[in-house]
Amino acid sequence: FITAATFFFFKRLGTKTAWILITIIMALIGPLAIIPRCVLISFSTIQTFFPTTQLILFNATSCLLIFACTYKRSRIIDILGVYLTPVLLLCLVIIIAKGFLSEAVPVNVNDLTSLSAFKFGLIEGYNTMDIFGSFMFSGVILSSIKSKFTLKSEKDFISISFLAGIIGMGALALVYMGICFVSSRYVDILSGVPTERLLSVLTLHLLGPYAGIIVCIAVSLACLTTAISLALVFSEFVSNEVLAGKVPYQKTLCVTLLISFLISTMEFSGIQKFLVPILVVCLPCFILLSVLNLAHKTIGFNMVKLPVLLLFVYSFYTYVY
């Protein structure tokens, strides 16, 4: 259902183009980017409190844990998601609340204008790759709505889907805005800290070593839970869609985790070096495609290939030059 929903979104660009984009996106949210990034963020969070932790050993152990949780598609993923997601949200709320209530550290004024700061934040926001996740997992939400609600018409389905999107978008926006505001109050403390360690350093400063380690462990486990889910989804996609069932899921899972482990040895900065150009060039096109698809459904606007192509060329040119 995930693949079908995503294909429906991209199909106006052409059947072959849609499948190529789906495969690339699946690879990026799988072993080429998101899975190793989740492992590395988990490592960086733990290393803040246990500095002697070795990267290779931690990454290998994490991949083995992911394999154990996904080999037979057990319900452990659902169980982890049910418990760890609320815990993660609670931890983030605690960090944000503590940041609001604590006395801010004096901040050195920088020369960024409001427009420059907004542009910088927008480009940096690409690194979250949230739009990729929405492409892949919106199908899960739509399927869940159809199975759990009594829908009398397509209008009911659209209304509930829209409400679910607003709730999800609103919750995510509040978390991001809260973290951004709190981080801005402690920018001197966070200055020079590697990207993957920002949250753990902020947590340590706000909550202290004892409460901080509990929160950081929860965040670390939540990252691994995300990696577990993505490993399962990507391995099933390769086995069922790319290889048409000719290679068992378990074998594609092994290859997925091996690639994830190898990519994770590049460390967070190494992954960002090859990932950032892809995001800067492609994400504006995906955002435009989202707007054009919405316009197509609401007002019958049919043009899509030319605007997306022109924006892709412009994005590529501005990034290179």
Side-chain angles (χ1 to χ4, degrees), residues 8-71:
F8 180 80
F9 181 87
F10 285 109
K11 72 175 184 178
R12 295 180 64 220
L13 296 176
T15 301
K16 291 183 178 179
T17 303
W19 278 111
I20 291 172
L21 290 175
I22 290 171
T23 303
I24 292 173
I25 291 173
M26 288 295 288
L28 288 175
I29 69 170
L32 295 187
I34 298 299
I35 294 177
R37 282 207 325 186
C38 286
V39 172
L40 288 170
I41 291 174
S42 182
F43 165 75
S44 299
T45 303
I46 295 298
Q47 194 184 41
T48 301
F49 297 92
F50 303 99
T52 58
T53 306
Q54 296 182 2
L55 175 65
I56 298 297
L57 180 60
F58 182 89
N59 292 354
T61 303
S62 297
C63 288
L64 289 174
L65 176 63
I66 295 171
F67 177 80
C69 292
T70 54
Y71 182 74

Side-chain angles (χ1 to χ4, degrees), residues 4-296:
T6 310
F7 177 78
F8 180 80
F9 181 87
F10 285 109
K11 72 175 184 178
R12 295 180 64 220
L13 296 176
T15 301
K16 291 183 178 179
T17 303
W19 278 111
I20 291 172
L21 290 175
I22 290 171
T23 303
I24 292 173
I25 291 173
M26 288 295 288
L28 288 175
I29 69 170
L32 295 187
I34 298 299
I35 294 177
R37 282 207 325 186
C38 286
V39 172
L40 288 170
I41 291 174
S42 182
F43 165 75
S44 299
T45 303
I46 295 298
Q47 194 184 41
T48 301
F49 297 92
F50 303 99
T52 58
T53 306
Q54 296 182 2
L55 175 65
I56 298 297
L57 180 60
F58 182 89
N59 292 354
T61 303
S62 297
C63 288
L64 289 174
L65 176 63
I66 295 171
F67 177 80
C69 292
T70 54
Y71 182 74
K72 291 187 177 181
R73 303 183 183 88
S74 66
R75 289 193 67 249
I76 191 170
I77 299 173
D78 296 330
I79 294 172
L80 288 173
V82 166
Y83 290 102
L84 278 181
T85 299
V87 170
L88 173 62
L89 290 175
L90 176 62
C91 290
L92 292 175
V93 169
I94 291 173
I95 295 170
I96 293 170
K98 181 65 175 177
F100 268 94
L101 298 174
S102 299
E103 183 178 354
V105 175
V107 177
N108 294 323
V109 178
N110 60 56
D111 56 357
L112 282 177
T113 65
S114 297
L115 181 60
S116 298
F118 174 80
K119 183 179 179 181
F120 178 79
L122 178 66
I123 301 300
E124 285 296 304
Y126 289 165
N127 291 326
T128 64
M129 298 177 66
D130 287 333
I131 195 169
F132 284 0
S134 65
F135 287 154
M136 292 299 112
F137 295 106
S138 58
V140 176
I141 305 299
L142 297 177
S143 178
S144 178
I145 290 173
K146 286 184 176 181
S147 64
K148 294 184 178 181
F149 289 89
T150 302
L151 304 173
K152 297 180 180 179
S153 64
E154 183 179 358
K155 185 177 180 180
D156 290 343
F157 176 65
I158 293 174
S159 298
I160 295 175
S161 301
F162 182 78
L163 179 60
I166 292 297
I167 293 173
M169 180 179 67
L172 193 61
L174 287 174
V175 169
Y176 281 153
M177 288 190 293
I179 291 294
C180 286
F181 178 80
V182 172
S183 298
S184 70
R185 305 184 77 207
Y186 302 94
V187 67
D188 283 359
I189 293 173
L190 300 176
S191 179
V193 176
T195 303
E196 66 274 20
R197 296 189 62 187
L198 287 173
L199 184 59
S200 58
V201 171
L202 180 63
T203 302
L204 178 62
H205 175 77
L206 291 174
L207 302 180
Y210 298 109
I213 190 172
I214 296 175
V215 171
C216 285
I217 288 175
V219 172
S220 179
L221 288 174
C223 289
L224 288 179
T225 303
T226 301
I228 289 170
S229 302
L230 294 176
L232 186 150
V233 169
F234 179 77
S235 300
E236 287 191 334
F237 170 76
V238 173
S239 178
N240 298 331
E241 303 294 338
V242 178
L243 301 176
K246 296 178 181 178
V247 178
Y249 157 79
Q250 286 77 7
K251 290 185 178 180
T252 60
L253 175 63
C254 291
V255 174
T256 297
L257 293 178
L258 176 60
I259 295 173
S260 300
F261 170 75
L262 293 175
I263 295 294
S264 70
T265 61
M266 298 170 59
E267 300 188 5
F268 199 88
S269 58
I271 296 175
Q272 291 300 94
K273 285 181 180 179
F274 78 82
L275 185 60
V276 167
I278 297 174
L279 299 179
V280 171
V281 173
C282 294
L283 276 183
C285 302
F286 290 152
I287 294 171
L288 176 61
L289 179 61
S290 301
V291 174
L292 292 176
N293 280 347
L294 183 62
H296 175 69

